[in-house]
Amino acid sequence: MQQWLESLHPALLALIRVLLFVVPILLLVPGFIWLERRLLSWMQDRIGPNRTGTISKNFPIKFLRGKKTFGLLQPIADGVKLFFKEDVTPKSIDRLIYFVAPALALFPAFALGGTLPWGPSHGLYGLLTPIANVDIGILYVLAISSLGVYGVVLAGYASNNKYSLLGGLRASAQLISYELAMGVALACIALASGSLRFIEIVETQEQALFGALPAFQNWFVFTPYGLLAAVIFGICMVAETNRAPFDLPEAENEIIAGYHTEYSSMKFAVFFMGEYAAMFVFSGVFATLFLGGYNFLPVNWQYLADQGGGAAGLWQFIANAQYWLSPVFFLLKAFLGMAVYIWIRATLPRLRYDQLMFLGWKTLLPAAVVNFIAIAIWIMVSKVQNPVLGTLAALISYVVLFFVFKSFIGTNKEARALEKRTVTYAQFPTKPDSEPAAAQ
Amino acid sequence: MIAALPTITPNQITFLALAGLAAMMAVGVVALNNPVRSAMCLVVNFFVLAFIYFTLNAQLLGITQILVYTGAIMVLFLFVIMLLNLSGKQIFPEKLDAKPVIGIAVGLGLFGLIASQVLLPMQKITKINAEYAYGSPQAIGKTLFTNYVWPFEVTSMLLLVGIVGSILLAKRKI
């Protein structure tokens, strides 16, 4: 297998790599839709789709007759429905841009994973993944995710509908705001791992936990700076994919359906597909950056096996299984990310526009910058002095920067009071004197 | 007859396809009436230009081109165009005066100036692209923080002043 792959022309091998990434996503998108509907209904204490795919009374195997299959065929039914729906195209639209926009929304979702590894860099998987092992892995993800806004904005513009336009404008403002915090959070990881390649980031996470426990892996989510970066990146990730609670561009109770109001049938389905594919690939990026990529548990099985002892054979077996099953583990982590996306959607109400901007610019961005400075101090002091002093310096810098940030946020109370737009019940201008008179 | 034709390498095909698309889109930016379509042409032009940088092994330059110009600046352009909601013909009335003539003359002058500086050094080029690691983030980072650390810091200060100034102009109360 490996020799055959090595003998292939590089272009053909690259094509195989692309297909191995894109085809599974295309096949999994219906699964995501099913997962979302089932999980949402479970979380909201509803039944959800459970009838589609009920096995018929005439099925040859007797004990399966009349059994329900958790609505597994629901996404296929949805797909068929969307495909046969009437395709309404409004008259006064910008035709070219109107038709290009769904494709532009789909492109970044699939291109995003171009540098993402779903298996180890040595052996067979080294040939099959990532699609391009370039020096600019993280920057590539940032660049492509920033292109995601075009599909939405152009759809909003070309539809020639004020609600669509509002949705498009909201999307562009939202994506620009959250890209910055995302970029700084990614820069923290680049600093900590010393590389922009995803493969090397995963290999950094396979090193000894806190530099002291070689049996365990140092996933970035276990370290304080990595945890903060993970939280920031996670929030920005949800905002970048326009998912609840950041689904202002398609807020159905404010602007109908936002940018895809005028899209029907398959063109709407393409937007839908792009959203789910982007969610999945972003979950994969999150898993690679913070959750140790394709490693199932944060344990260095190979190290344990090399230590010898009675269980060395077992550790060696697990280490081999870890290598060969790594794509499965990567998929599992990405599915975990999808489940968290759905969980967040079921839990949190939609943000208001000013809350969105406050969160993006005044909370996430300063937090990410504080994290960045603390990591830089930690690395510098660790390299010049020793790791213990470095950790101490990083902790002190966290505290100092937090109070600096607090003092800045609290300085202009008048301006904040003016910006505060939440209306509480007590603030309503009630007229106790005139109301009974009006009632009479 | 066929042997007389110059052989075309895959590199040339890639370059011609990318450069041709970039040039067409550059023409489209000024030729199209609709401002949104012009902006989209500029987006595609920047995007394709990044791929030309990739073929030259200037990876960081190419990805920065996409990140900064395609992903950030052009989104802001589109945002502003859509907020103003301009329709093509109202904002570009065709007038017959000296402006096009002066514009073309200045454009040709600028072209000549750049060409005189670029074309001569280009005669010495023998290779089709740089070495693999030439444009990598590591190489550029090392150069920036050793040889050019003062220009880099001064530029960053300038940008910081620009950010503070723009916030001060746009919003008095923060």
Side-chain angles (χ1 to χ4, degrees), chain A residues 99-226:
Chain A
F99 283 108
V100 166
L104 274 179
L106 198 58
F107 158 71
F110 284 101
L112 199 59
T115 53
L116 206 60
W118 45 259
S121 60
H122 53 276
L124 176 66
Y125 291 134
L127 289 172
L128 296 176
T129 183
I131 294 171
N133 190 14
V134 283
D135 281 327
I136 45 169
I138 294 185
L139 289 174
Y140 175 85
V141 166
L142 263 184
I144 298 295
S145 79
S146 72
L147 295 182
V149 68
Y150 281 112
V152 175
V153 169
L154 291 175
Y157 162 78
S159 300
N160 198 12
N161 173 337
K162 61 184 168 196
Y163 297 111
S164 298
L165 186 69
L166 276 174
L169 289 177
R170 282 180 176 194
S172 60
Q174 177 179 326
L175 273 110
I176 288 174
S177 309
Y178 280 77
E179 212 140 76
L180 289 163
M182 189 187 223
V184 181
L186 286 177
C188 297
I189 294 307
L191 262 192
S193 63
S195 175
L196 293 173
R197 281 176 201 255
F198 277 115
I199 280 278
E200 284 170 21
I201 289 169
V202 175
E203 278 163 6
T204 313
Q205 295 182 66
E206 285 170 355
Q207 286 167 6
L209 183 63
F210 307 128
L213 301 166
F216 298 99
Q217 295 183 348
N218 190 25
W219 291 4
F220 282 133
V221 79
F222 297 147
T223 57
Y225 57 86

Side-chain angles (χ1 to χ4, degrees), chain A residues 413-433:
Chain A
K413 282 193 175 126
E414 281 172 44
R416 285 206 62 192
L418 281 175
E419 272 185 8
K420 198 177 176 188
R421 281 191 274 160
T422 308
V423 180
T424 56
Y425 185 71
Q427 288 170 320
F428 273 111
T430 47
K431 294 175 187 169
D433 296 324

